């Protein structure tokens, strides 16, 4: 018995041999040859593959509903798409994520995989396109220029949901530490100089609030991603899509994904405009910047252990040096910093890609997809890693923190209402010259009784009643 190892397919450039067991075809083959760029296939983004399958399924249902696709073909296409959405055949999506052609290679890869699986379901061999064709049937009423951006938007919505969950994990981690450290007194700092007392709980509460604010901004930005241009076909005029197709396809896609998708009011504008992606990327950059700032603080607060601030201890997770025994580095905040740098760079790439669009189409949406996906995925992983491998295990050097308050010149600001400005100034001067503590000098000069000073140094008094610790 002879085993068939290849089948022949053709396109406008001629014939090529395709591996017999491959669900992709000649268009995909040429794309893999033309774009050996990242080595990352589109299958690395499962949300995108699921979204592409959902778009193809919605289109088949709409075409059947409008009498354009015979029920037998529609049923096979729908079944193939549902298998893909169940996680099957993802390894057949092999084109590089960065590609020329405005995403055409991705769309053709999807058309060919769906068509060949549908052919099998109909009892035919892969490549027997006379029975069901990738372009004429699977891509009926569509163009890459409405399929690709619609799939990218659907994929982005689901990816962002994952990021929002990861951010919530980190927010909760910081919030728990805020409660744990609510009575731990310390010195606040401005411009790296002593400022006024606060609690470590207030410091960590601020990190939790910052994340909560960014979650709200991200949730707002993702709403813009629900507007799609499916039915626009090539440039937004809807050429080759019949009346009613855009609404039918949107309705089916909403039902399949559970998303409140809306068709853009002006499909010509929507087909060329990448503003929603720029907005989303800007919010991701905001998250990255603030997350990186928080990690900078964690590294600074934990610096030492002897020659730095040493106010908090990050959990040791690995040896820090190949030459210095006993050294432990803040590797988790450091890796989050690097993710932030990447996201900021991705935002620049997305900005340039959106700006580079010309006339009725932006040809650079593949790099937008790639950059957005990397930013969303890596930020989500960074948030969970920071929470689980770092923040959850942070401890406070309580006595060192309190001693720094008692010895800090900044303490006079808190005592000023009780001993007067002139006396506070004299205490500050003497403390600076002698190196003695403010509290010690206040007691020595009899400016306040010991019990009164102790009461004034309670965390809830010195740090504004612990108001941000709930």
């Amino acid at each position: 018995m002879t085993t068939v190892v290849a089948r022949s397919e053709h396109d406008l450039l001629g014939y090529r041999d395709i591996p017999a067991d491959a669900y992709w075809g000649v268009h995909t083959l040429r794309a893999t040859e033309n774009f050996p760029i990242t080595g990352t296939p589109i299958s690395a983004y499962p949300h995108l593959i699921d979204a592409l399958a959902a778009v193809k399924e919605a289109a088949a249902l709409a075409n059947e509903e409008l009498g354009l696709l015979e029920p037998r073909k529609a049923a096979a296409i729908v079944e193939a798409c549902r298998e893909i959405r169940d996680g099957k055949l993802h390894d057949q999506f092999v084109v590089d994520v960065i590609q020329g052609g405005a995403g055409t290679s991705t769309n053709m890869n999807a058309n060919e995989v769906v068509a060949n699986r549908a052919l099998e379901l109909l009892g035919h061999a892969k490549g027997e396109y006379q029975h069901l064709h990738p372009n004429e049937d699977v891509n009926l009423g569509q163009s890459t220029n409405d399929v690709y951006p619609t799939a990218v938007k659907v994929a982005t919505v689901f990816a962002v949901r994952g990021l929002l969950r990861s951010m919530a994990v980190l927010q909760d981690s910081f919030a728990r530490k805020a409660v744990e450290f609510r009575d731990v007194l310390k010195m606040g700092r401005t411009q790296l100089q002593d400022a006024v007392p606060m609690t470590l709980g207030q410091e960590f509460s601020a990190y939790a609030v910052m994340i909560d604010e960014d979650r709200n901004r991200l949730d707002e930005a993702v709403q813009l991603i629900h507007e799609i241009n499916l039915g626009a076909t090539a440039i937004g005029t809807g050429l080759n899509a019949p009346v009613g197709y855009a609404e039918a396809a949107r309705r089916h896609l909403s039902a399949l994904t559970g998303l409140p998708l809306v068709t853009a009011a002006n499909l010509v504008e929507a087909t060329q405009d990448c503003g929603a992606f720029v907005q989303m990327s800007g919010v991701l950059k905001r998250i990255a910047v603030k997350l990186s700032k928080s990690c900078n603080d964690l590294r600074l607060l934990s610096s030492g252990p002897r020659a730095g601030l040493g106010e908090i201890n990050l959990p040791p997770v690995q040896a820090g040096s190949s030459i210095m025994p006993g050294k432990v580095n803040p590797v988790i905040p450091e890796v989050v910093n690097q993710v932030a740098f990447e996201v900021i760079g991705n935002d620049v790439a997305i900005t340039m890609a959106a700006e580079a669009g010309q006339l009725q189409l932006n040809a650079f949406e593949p790099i937008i997809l790639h950059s957005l996906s990397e930013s969303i995925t890596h930020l989500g992983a960074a948030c969970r890693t920071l929470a689980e491998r770092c923040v959850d295990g942070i401890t406070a050097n309580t006595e060192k923190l309190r001693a720094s308050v008692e010895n800090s010149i900044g303490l006079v600001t808190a005592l000023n209402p009780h001993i007067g400005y002139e006396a506070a100034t004299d205490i500050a001067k003497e403390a600076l010259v002698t190196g003695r503590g403010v509290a010690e000098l206040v007691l020595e000069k009899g400016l306040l009784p010991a019990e009164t000073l102790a009461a004034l140094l309670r965390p809830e008094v010195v740090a504004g009643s612990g108001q941000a610790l709930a």
Side-chain angles (χ1 to χ4, degrees):
M1 180 177 179
T2 302
T3 301
V4 178
V5 296
R7 66 178 188 268
S8 180
E9 292 192 16
H10 72 277
D11 61 3
L12 68 98
L13 300 181
Y15 284 84
R16 293 295 301 273
D17 285 341
I18 308 298
D21 60 349
Y23 286 85
W24 44 264
V26 63
H27 296 283
T28 301
L29 174 63
R30 294 198 191 278
T32 60
E33 294 172 344
N34 288 333
F35 310 122
I37 305 301
T38 67
T40 301
I42 57 174
S43 60
Y45 304 114
H47 286 311
L48 176 64
I49 306 308
D50 292 343
L52 285 165
V55 170
K56 295 300 174 183
E57 181 175 345
L61 291 170
N63 284 320
E64 180 187 19
E65 181 180 309
L66 295 170
L68 303 173
L69 187 65
E70 60 181 274
R72 184 177 60 90
K73 287 184 176 182
I77 291 171
V78 166
E79 180 59 29
C81 290
R82 290 181 179 174
E83 289 182 359
I84 293 168
R85 292 170 59 217
D86 285 338
K88 298 177 182 178
L89 301 179
H90 279 217
D91 63 332
Q92 298 297 305
F93 290 81
V94 297
V95 298
D96 198 282
V97 65
I98 297 181
Q99 55 195 248
T104 298
S105 297
T106 292
N107 186 35
M108 290 303 299
N109 194 164
N111 288 335
E112 290 172 342
V113 172
V114 171
N116 280 306
R117 178 56 187 146
L119 283 169
E120 286 185 332
L121 292 169
L122 290 172
H124 303 292
K126 301 183 189 72
E128 294 185 345
Y129 296 140
Q130 67 272 27
H131 301 292
L132 188 149
H133 197 276
N135 291 73
E136 294 177 6
D137 296 311
V138 179
N139 200 61
L140 180 62
Q142 302 152 63
S143 163
T144 292
N145 302 343
D146 62 348
V147 167
Y148 188 80
T150 297
V152 170
K153 287 186 173 182
V154 170
T156 299
V157 171
F158 283 107
V160 165
R161 287 183 177 181
L163 174 55
L164 286 168
R165 290 191 293 269
S166 295
M167 292 174 69
V169 170
L170 181 57
Q171 178 185 339
D172 290 344
S173 182
F174 276 126
R176 287 193 299 271
K177 287 297 168 182
V179 174
E180 180 182 342
F181 298 146
R182 67 187 305 159
D183 294 326
V184 179
L185 201 61
K186 63 160 289 175
M187 284 303 299
R189 295 180 181 84
T190 57
Q191 296 161 275
L192 294 180
Q193 306 298 306
D194 294 357
V196 296
M198 65 184 302
T199 67
L200 189 60
Q202 287 173 314
E203 195 159 42
F204 274 76
S205 177
Y207 302 141
V209 171
M210 283 161 59
I211 295 172
D212 185 49
E213 289 179 345
D214 284 347
R215 287 177 62 211
N216 290 332
R217 300 295 80 75
L218 183 59
D219 192 54
E220 291 169 358
V222 82
Q223 299 309 313
L224 298 177
I225 305 295
H226 287 74
E227 182 184 271
I228 62 174
N229 73 328
L230 193 60
T233 66
I235 64 171
T237 62
L239 181 68
N240 295 342
V243 175
Y245 169 80
E247 172 54 26
R250 182 213 59 80
R251 174 167 38 83
H252 285 295
L253 186 58
S254 288
L256 292 172
T257 60
L259 300 178
L261 303 171
V262 296
T263 300
N266 187 312
L267 291 177
V268 174
E269 178 273 335
T271 302
Q272 62 188 275
D273 180 35
C274 292
F277 296 133
V278 174
Q279 177 88 355
M280 171 62 66
S281 180
V283 174
L284 295 175
K285 181 179 73 172
R286 169 186 166 138
I287 295 168
V289 168
K290 293 168 69 176
L291 192 60
S292 189
K293 186 273 179 188
S294 298
C295 285
N296 292 342
D297 287 357
L298 294 179
R299 291 192 296 117
L300 186 59
L301 293 171
S302 65
S303 60
R306 301 288 176 85
L309 294 184
E311 294 189 349
I312 62 174
N313 307 301
L314 307 186
V317 295
Q318 66 182 59
S321 175
S322 62
I323 189 174
M324 293 173 279
K327 192 170 189 289
V328 177
N329 295 327
V331 295
I332 302 301
E334 287 172 352
V335 77
V336 176
N337 284 134
Q338 292 174 79
V339 169
F341 306 155
E342 177 192 40
V343 173
I344 294 166
N346 285 342
D347 181 62
V348 174
I350 290 167
T351 300
M352 296 302 296
E355 181 275 336
Q358 297 162 325
L359 304 178
Q360 280 69 59
L361 180 67
N362 188 303
F364 307 108
E365 288 186 7
I367 191 64
I368 292 177
L369 160 74
H370 177 58
S371 300
L372 273 180
S373 298
E374 294 289 284
S375 292
I376 294 168
T377 302
H378 293 178
L379 275 174
C383 285
R384 288 186 177 272
T385 299
L386 182 60
E388 297 165 2
R389 302 290 295 170
C390 182
V391 177
D392 285 348
I394 290 176
T395 58
N397 292 321
T398 307
E399 293 306 315
K400 182 173 184 178
L401 287 165
R402 187 172 186 88
S404 71
V405 173
E406 294 174 352
N407 291 322
S408 173
I409 307 304
L411 185 59
V412 296
T413 304
L415 299 179
N416 183 41
H418 307 282
I419 65 176
Y421 184 85
E422 293 296 332
T425 300
D426 291 339
I427 290 291
K429 287 181 180 179
E430 187 171 349
L432 279 171
V433 172
T434 64
R436 298 174 66 189
V438 168
E440 178 186 355
L441 291 172
V442 168
L443 290 174
E444 181 182 279
K445 296 179 182 302
L447 295 173
L448 289 172
E451 60 273 15
T452 301
L453 180 61
L456 292 175
L457 291 180
R458 294 200 314 272
E460 63 270 24
V461 175
V462 175
S465 303
Q467 55 190 327
L469 300 182

